[in-house]
Amino acid sequence: TRMKAGLIWFNGHMVAQEEAKVSVLTHALHYGTSVFEGIRAYETPKGPAVFRLPEHVERLFHSARVMMMELPFTPQQISDAIVQVVRENGYKSCYIRPLAWMGAGSLGVNPLPNNPAEVMVAAWEWGTYLGEEAVRKGARLVTSSWARFPANVFPGKAKIGGNYVNSALARIEAQHAGADEALLLDKEGYVAEGSGENIFFFKGGTLYAIEHGVNLMGITRDSVITIARDLGYEVREVRATRDQLYMADEVFMVGTAAEVTPVSYLDRRPIGSGTAGEHTMRLRKAYLEVVQGHNPKYDEWLTYVA
Ligand code: PMP
């Protein structure tokens, strides 16, 4: 079944999903020359609110800068487009995907001479990314045979379409191994990230965040660190190995799509007791309260749509 995204903001105009089409000669379709974001809007007591909108829009423009892609819209125009898409589709909560790509012009690998950038913002209703069971019982992870690319191979701090071939290969492999998600290691063998999530673990009551390294600097990771410190947890940013995760009390993944998802197994080894961890679930609850507007302390992270 095809996903339903309703009205899509397409190069400045609201159009029906069926009308938002591109040429097969689009540069990005051939070479992955696109940049994008993944954002969520949540139902709050004051209507739908987009979570950390300015940070996501800033990262989109930083990704474009890395690609030397000139976007034909300002950050304010893109922010307005995101709010408009949530509002005009009447969503209470949704996942929002802004995408900018090198369009159709010439198909040499160099995108710069005459492939104009195009932009769209689509949104759809999307529940738990890794499934209800993963959230309740914890997700099962396997370490990928595909390494996360080093910083001089792909710019992993930019959300560039082509980067996600690495994530897709890891995710396909995980699915074939019967797991919910892949854990990618960097080229030295240290824990990097999931195919679309940053990694945390608890050991002896301390919360350890995997340091940025080659990873995407996740906005959820930043939010969770702030919330955890406010709850009184000591948080340290570390480089860690996969066996450190095997020996951890709890492991969890965070991302806009995955939110806070406990990990119960890694490479068929139970993490702790092999269930969703107690501290993890406390953080998950606190995170969901923040994004759903139930914690006034973090109201500045919400952009209300109404
Ligand atoms: N790492 C990768 C590779 C991702 O694709 C994502 C999802 N954007 C994340 C981490 C988490 O980032 P965020 O919390 O900003 O969604």
Side-chain angles (χ1 to χ4, degrees):
T1 62
R2 286 182 57 179
M3 55 178 295
K4 287 202 168 60
L7 294 171
I8 294 176
W9 186 94
F10 191 63
N11 292 319
H13 304 280
M14 295 297 287
V15 301
Q17 180 180 341
E18 300 70 39
E19 309 300 317
K21 288 182 175 159
V22 297
S23 163
V24 293
L25 300 182
T26 297
H27 195 274
L29 188 60
H30 296 248
Y31 305 119
T33 47
S34 63
V35 299
F36 67 101
E37 269 304 316
I39 312 174
R40 273 189 194 267
Y42 289 90
E43 186 175 4
T44 81
K46 291 194 264 173
V50 182
F51 187 60
R52 303 198 73 173
L53 177 60
E55 290 87 345
H56 281 284
V57 172
E58 183 182 39
R59 192 171 65 186
L60 180 71
F61 277 80
H62 282 159
S63 298
R65 178 189 295 229
V66 170
M67 272 310 292
M68 300 185 90
M69 185 188 291
E70 232 171 88
L71 302 191
F73 298 97
T74 64
Q76 187 60 53
Q77 284 174 308
I78 300 296
S79 300
D80 291 346
I82 289 165
V83 169
Q84 188 183 359
V85 166
V86 178
R87 189 193 301 122
E88 291 198 16
N89 282 293
Y91 294 133
K92 286 180 176 157
S93 65
C94 59
Y95 180 87
I96 308 157
R97 168 56 52 80
L99 174 76
W101 65 96
M102 290 303 197
S106 64
L107 273 178
V109 168
N110 181 0
L112 293 183
N114 54 12
N115 296 289
E118 300 193 51
V119 186
M120 74 93 197
V121 180
W124 55 90
E125 288 172 314
W126 216 12
T128 53
Y129 180 62
L130 293 160
E132 286 299 332
E133 185 153 309
V135 168
R136 261 187 312 113
K137 295 188 186 165
R140 291 155 305 158
L141 265 59
V142 286
T143 301
S144 180
S145 68
W146 301 96
R148 189 71 184 162
F149 39 76
N152 60 349
V153 175
F154 282 102
K157 288 183 174 44
K159 254 181 113 61
I160 291 174
N163 286 358
Y164 282 79
V165 172
N166 177 248
S167 288
L169 288 168
R171 192 65 196 263
I172 290 166
E173 186 184 60
Q175 183 185 315
H176 282 269
D180 299 308
E181 179 54 294
L183 173 72
L184 288 100
L185 308 178
D186 66 21
K187 88 172 205 302
E188 270 83 43
Y190 289 89
V191 173
E193 58 190 328
S195 72
E197 305 89 1
N198 292 114
I199 308 285
F200 284 83
F201 65 99
F202 274 104
K203 184 73 182 176
T206 298
L207 178 58
Y208 295 89
I210 299 299
E211 68 178 24
H212 286 311
V214 295
N215 307 323
L216 189 77
M217 292 163 72
I219 292 165
T220 316
R221 176 186 182 278
D222 178 75
S223 308
V224 165
I225 289 174
T226 304
I227 293 167
R229 287 201 168 121
D230 281 354
L231 288 174
Y233 288 108
E234 186 190 339
V235 185
R236 291 193 209 150
E237 302 190 40
V238 291
R239 201 177 193 203
T241 55
R242 66 199 275 188
D243 45 333
Q244 271 177 288
L245 297 188
Y246 297 157
M247 297 175 196
D249 300 327
E250 301 181 21
V251 173
F252 63 98
M253 297 179 292
V254 308
T256 297
E259 300 167 313
V260 176
T261 300
V263 173
S264 52
Y265 280 83
L266 172 58
D267 300 331
R268 297 194 165 80
R269 293 156 176 86
I271 306 297
S273 52
T275 57
E278 172 193 334
H279 295 297
T280 300
M281 292 313 262
R282 184 173 172 221
L283 275 180
R284 174 179 167 81
K285 185 163 175 281
Y287 177 77
L288 291 177
E289 280 170 7
V290 167
V291 297
Q292 291 168 359
H294 294 299
N295 188 337
K297 189 168 176 196
Y298 299 97
D299 203 49
E300 62 187 25
W301 281 350
L302 306 180
T303 299
Y304 291 96
V305 166

